[in-house]
């Protein structure tokens, strides 16, 4: 005889409902964990990308640059004090040219300045307290990544020493102007509009190179077209390598080449060297070679 047992389903329903609710909660928790994990990974990837970008300053735990904190993007992103100082050297040099200063005497002060800054860098990189005082003094002109490395101005001075020691007056001055103005233009426009154009090299955009070319062209045109003829009395015989009488290159062709070398030397990456060094060196070598090749 079979005995039929009736099960009260009403007693089972709460258990089933609780199980469904529990599964739903577990599923929601898994989703939340996955969501958080994805975003944590994205944040990590983003921070890695930023760390690899030279425009993003390296994290600093030992030294805080007050100028960077007080003025924010004015100093860090746009680097206004640094660019003003960078550009002012070109204007000061142009004024000294009109005053007839002997360009051959420039190399010695540059060598002295390089030696002093190099010694200060060696001291501050081995003496944290002095490094804090140094950075507090000239922090507005520094990038944060330079706190624990050698100052970029050393490359700047080294490039100028090379140009003023081995090349003619006009070539040395043009190389300085390209470094002072074309490089600043490339940095300014590259940061502002670089995302709209292709990358030519590491952190070098087509927008920056175009800006460097235009400024370099106008610089050569202004210097050779106005300052050299109007201040010819400050130039000794043989100091100016190019002239329309002695070269098969026209003024505009020379200026076009000057803009080109300014853009190329700023835009290309050679052995990861600082462009403060490559711009004056490459422009001096290139312009001297071209002028000699096309001499009458």
């Amino acid at each position: 005889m079979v005995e039929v047992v009736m099960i009260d389903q009403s007693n089972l329903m709460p258990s089933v409902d609780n199980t469904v609710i529990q599964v739903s909660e577990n599923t929601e928790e898994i989703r939340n964990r996955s969501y958080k994990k994805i975003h944590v990974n994205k944040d990590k990837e983003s921070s890695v990308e930023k760390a690899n970008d030279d425009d993003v300053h390296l994290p600093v735990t030992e030294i805080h640059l007050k100028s960077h904190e007080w003025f924010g993007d004015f100093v860090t992103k746009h680097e206004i004090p640094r660019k003003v100082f960078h550009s002012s050297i070109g204007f000061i040099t142009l004024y000294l040219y009109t005053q007839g200063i002997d360009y051959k005497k420039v190399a010695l002060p540059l060598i002295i300045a390089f030696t002093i800054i190099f010694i200060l860098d060696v001291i501050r990189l081995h003496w944290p307290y002095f490094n804090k005082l140094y950075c507090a003094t000239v922090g507005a002109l520094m990038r944060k990544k330079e706190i624990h490395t050698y100052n970029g101005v050393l490359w700047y001075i080294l490039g100028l020493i090379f140009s003023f020691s081995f090349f003619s007056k006009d070539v040395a001055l043009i190389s300085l102007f390209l470094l002072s103005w074309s490089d600043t233009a490339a940095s300014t426009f590259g940061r502002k509009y670089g995302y709209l154009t292709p990358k030519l090299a590491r952190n070098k955009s087509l927008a920056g190179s175009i800006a460097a070319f235009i400024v370099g062209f106008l610089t050569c045109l202004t210097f050779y077209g106005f300052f050299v003829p109007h201040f010819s009395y400050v130039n000794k015989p043989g100091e100016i390598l190019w002239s329309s009488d002695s070269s098969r290159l026209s003024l505009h062709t020379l200026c076009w080449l000057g803009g080109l070398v300014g853009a190329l030397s700023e835009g290309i990456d050679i052995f990861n060297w600082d462009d403060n060094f490559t711009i004056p060196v490459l422009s001096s070598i290139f312009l001297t070679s071209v002028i000699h090749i096309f001499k009458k």
Side-chain angles (χ1 to χ4, degrees):
M1 185 172 182
V2 179
E3 183 175 353
V4 178
V5 179
M6 299 298 292
I7 299 175
D8 188 0
Q9 293 182 0
S10 62
N11 293 332
L12 291 175
M13 288 304 293
S15 176
V16 172
D17 290 341
N18 289 338
T19 303
V20 172
I21 292 171
Q22 185 66 35
V23 170
S24 298
E25 289 177 350
N26 291 340
T27 303
E28 186 66 25
E29 184 178 355
I30 291 171
R31 287 177 179 173
N32 289 335
R33 287 179 181 175
S34 300
Y35 180 84
K36 290 179 181 178
K37 187 175 181 181
I38 290 171
H39 278 263
V40 167
N41 289 336
K42 284 184 177 180
D43 290 338
K44 286 181 179 179
E45 290 173 2
S46 176
S47 52
V48 169
E49 289 175 0
K50 289 182 179 179
N52 291 332
D53 189 351
D54 283 345
D55 290 341
V56 179
H57 302 308
L58 301 177
V60 178
T61 56
E62 300 178 7
I63 300 173
H64 298 281
L65 298 179
K66 292 297 181 183
S67 57
H68 288 53
E69 296 172 3
W70 291 339
F71 300 104
D73 286 353
F74 181 82
V75 173
T76 55
K77 182 179 179 180
H78 304 298
E79 298 183 337
I80 301 300
R82 186 184 181 99
K83 289 177 181 176
V84 169
F85 176 75
H86 201 79
S87 300
S88 66
I89 294 176
F91 291 105
I92 293 171
T93 303
L94 187 59
Y95 170 75
L96 294 176
Y97 165 75
T98 63
Q99 301 303 301
I101 302 300
D102 188 355
Y103 84 105
K104 284 295 185 183
K105 295 181 179 179
V106 173
L108 181 58
L110 288 174
I111 292 172
I112 294 173
F114 178 88
T115 304
I116 293 173
I117 296 173
F118 179 76
I119 291 173
L120 290 175
D121 268 7
V122 171
I123 294 174
R124 73 181 181 87
L125 293 177
H126 290 83
W127 186 9
Y129 179 72
F130 180 73
N131 197 13
K132 289 182 180 181
L133 294 178
Y134 184 94
C135 293
T137 304
V138 295
L141 300 175
M142 296 175 64
R143 290 171 176 159
K144 281 190 176 181
K145 65 179 182 180
E146 292 178 338
I147 291 176
H148 303 305
T149 59
Y150 288 97
N151 203 314
V153 74
L154 289 172
W155 290 104
Y156 192 106
I157 297 175
L158 193 61
L160 295 182
I161 291 173
F162 179 82
S163 295
F164 279 88
S165 297
F166 302 110
F167 297 93
S168 63
K169 185 177 185 178
D170 55 335
V171 170
L173 290 175
I174 287 293
S175 69
L176 184 146
F177 297 148
L178 293 177
L179 174 59
S180 184
W181 300 330
S182 288
D183 185 39
T184 301
S187 175
T188 302
F189 284 88
R191 292 183 182 218
K192 185 70 174 177
Y193 304 108
Y195 71 97
L196 298 174
T197 60
K199 290 283 186 182
L200 301 180
R202 184 177 60 90
N203 296 321
K204 304 293 183 180
S205 66
L206 181 60
S209 295
I210 291 173
F213 171 80
I214 294 173
V215 172
F217 177 86
L218 295 176
T219 296
C220 292
L221 185 63
T222 303
F223 180 71
Y224 281 112
F226 177 80
F227 283 94
V228 171
H230 282 76
F231 295 92
S232 57
Y233 56 88
V234 303
N235 301 317
K236 298 176 183 177
E239 283 188 336
I240 303 299
L241 188 61
W242 179 89
S243 70
S244 57
D245 297 331
S246 63
S247 178
R248 296 194 302 273
L249 284 173
S250 67
L251 173 61
H252 285 86
T253 302
L254 177 67
C255 296
W256 188 89
L257 291 172
L260 179 64
V261 72
L264 289 177
S265 56
E266 188 281 331
I268 61 177
D269 189 358
I270 303 178
F271 304 122
N272 216 17
W273 288 348
D274 195 298
D275 58 8
N276 287 326
F277 177 74
T278 58
I279 291 174
V281 170
L282 293 181
S283 59
S284 295
I285 295 173
F286 177 80
L287 289 175
T288 300
S289 301
V290 166
I291 293 172
H292 276 300
I293 290 171
F294 289 94
K295 259 190 176 303
K296 288 181 179 178

